[in-house]
Amino acid sequence: MKRRMIRACCEWRKPGKAMFSAILAGFMAVGAGFIAYGQDVTIVKAGGGKLSIDISGFKGGGGKKDTFCSVLASDLKRSGYFDVVQQQGKAVIVADGECDEGSDSFSVECETRNGVTSKRYFNKDFSEKGQNAAARVAHAVADEIVWAVKNVKGIASTKIAMIGSKGRVKDLYVSDIDGGNLTRVTQDGMAYPAPSWGGSQDVLFYTSRHGGFPDIYSIDLHTKNRRSFSSYPGLNAGADVSVDGRKMALTLSKDGNPELYIMDLSSKRLTRVTRTEYAAEASPSWSPDGGRIVFVSDKSGSPQLYIMSSSGGEQKFVSSRGSENVAPDWGPSGRIAWSSKRGARYEICVWDPSTGQNVQITAGDADYEDPSWAPDGRHIACSRTVGYTSDIYILDTMGDAPIRLTRVQGDWYSPCWSP
């Protein structure tokens, strides 16, 4: 049984009437018309070239320094770009400095340089106060190193939102990138799949029956203030905020069928962008430039992937292997990840429009669903289901081994990676 059922029925406000609400998602295509893919290729290279980095030279800081160094090493390894070593004078990259520990704070002056050429990448101070200060400083330092050395946005300070299910109780949770600091955000007991960040790490959008109907809510993670954001008659689901934070794509059934709409977030003005009388559209995902959206429709008889302008118009059908192609996420690098049913399994696939490469990045050993890109354009969070139990895993599109994120009892699914 799948919690993210490809075909989910959500009751309308009108009693006795049910409607298919595909909590799915689409895939992406570039260019016009039908795109036929060839045989998929599974990525096999292990992580690409890695740089050795020595972080053993940090001094001071008391007991919190050990936490800082442990978290920093883990973050750098997880980035996929570094091998952490203790080889003073031999590592390609050297990061060291002086740590200082307070009763409620931790700080470090960090210098990072090339151990071969002596090029200095940066020399900066980092400081945090409160709970987990040393870990938060480590996350910030790791991201600075990744950016300075590789010119890639780091992921150590990001968050992952997800749905956690314990029995019949389903709520929204958020964790750090290493699975730590797992926090229950809602107390509804009835959160739906596909939460979405509102353009920052401050606000999440999600669908819940908190008020009795499937409505979209926003919640501020700092104040915990929640408000009803979209509560039209029928289904309100699939909220996805554009990269510039100005618009939201969502699925509404207020006019009869589940159709796609674009909402201007400042005025809440709606524009309907699909009109399919006998089918349902759902799970929109924005292109990085905000000009297009990809989505799922069952108008062909099974859930498949389509792309169109964010202002509506012609829909381009995208064909791929797999009897169902769902749950897309259009990543910051321009690639699209989605879940494809191959035989009895769901696999995560990625399409790169710049090269035409179409790859399956999971190994067929479980069901992999709900892909969500990291800001680095390299990693993907997804759910992995074995039997009847799901956990969140991090996949590396360059071939490093998957990393299990959730280790708390329960079912964990529908991850969404923060900006």
Side-chain angles (χ1 to χ4, degrees), residues 8-12 17-21 23 192 209 214 235:
C9 288
C10 292
E11 296 178 358
W12 285 11
K17 191 167 186 179
M19 194 66 193
F20 164 71
S21 80
I23 301 178
Y192 279 44
R209 286 183 177 272
L235 175 69

Side-chain angles (χ1 to χ4, degrees), residues 347-360:
E347 307 288 355
I348 303 300
C349 298
V350 173
W351 163 257
D352 186 342
S354 65
T355 64
Q357 188 180 35
N358 177 23
V359 297
Q360 177 182 317

Side-chain angles (χ1 to χ4, degrees), residues 29-181:
V30 173
F34 174 87
I35 300 176
Y37 298 127
Q39 183 72 21
D40 283 348
V41 178
T42 301
I43 294 177
V44 294
K45 67 177 181 178
K50 298 179 188 292
L51 297 174
S52 59
I53 184 169
D54 183 4
I55 62 170
S56 64
F58 285 99
K59 303 182 183 303
K64 291 183 181 179
K65 187 202 77 170
D66 293 338
T67 298
F68 164 77
C69 289
S70 175
V71 173
L72 178 59
S74 179
D75 287 344
L76 292 171
K77 291 176 184 176
R78 190 180 300 107
S79 77
Y81 295 109
F82 299 99
D83 281 325
V84 180
V85 299
Q86 293 187 22
Q87 298 175 341
Q88 292 187 6
K90 297 182 180 179
V92 175
I93 307 297
V94 177
D96 55 24
E98 192 73 24
C99 303
D100 183 63
E101 173 183 325
S103 60
D104 191 42
S105 66
F106 184 83
S107 62
V108 61
E109 180 183 355
C110 175
E111 179 180 283
T112 299
R113 60 190 178 277
N114 190 299
V116 178
T117 66
S118 298
K119 172 186 175 181
R120 178 186 286 185
Y121 293 106
F122 66 87
N123 189 344
K124 291 186 178 181
D125 293 332
F126 301 83
S127 181
E128 292 284 350
K129 293 182 178 180
Q131 189 176 11
N132 302 319
R136 286 184 283 121
V137 169
H139 294 328
V141 171
D143 285 343
E144 190 70 26
I145 292 173
V146 171
W147 176 255
V149 177
K150 299 298 296 184
N151 197 32
V152 174
K153 186 173 182 179
I155 59 174
S157 299
T158 59
K159 306 285 186 179
I160 293 183
M162 68 194 80
I163 302 298
S165 175
K166 298 182 179 181
R168 293 182 178 272
V169 179
K170 300 175 177 64
D171 273 302
L172 183 62
Y173 290 76
V174 172
S175 82
D176 291 342
I177 191 59
D178 56 6
N181 198 27

Side-chain angles (χ1 to χ4, degrees), residues 50 60 75-76 105 259 306 326 328 379 398:
K50 298 179 188 292
D75 287 344
L76 292 171
S105 66
E259 303 279 1
Y306 296 81
V326 299
H379 293 88
M398 293 184 68

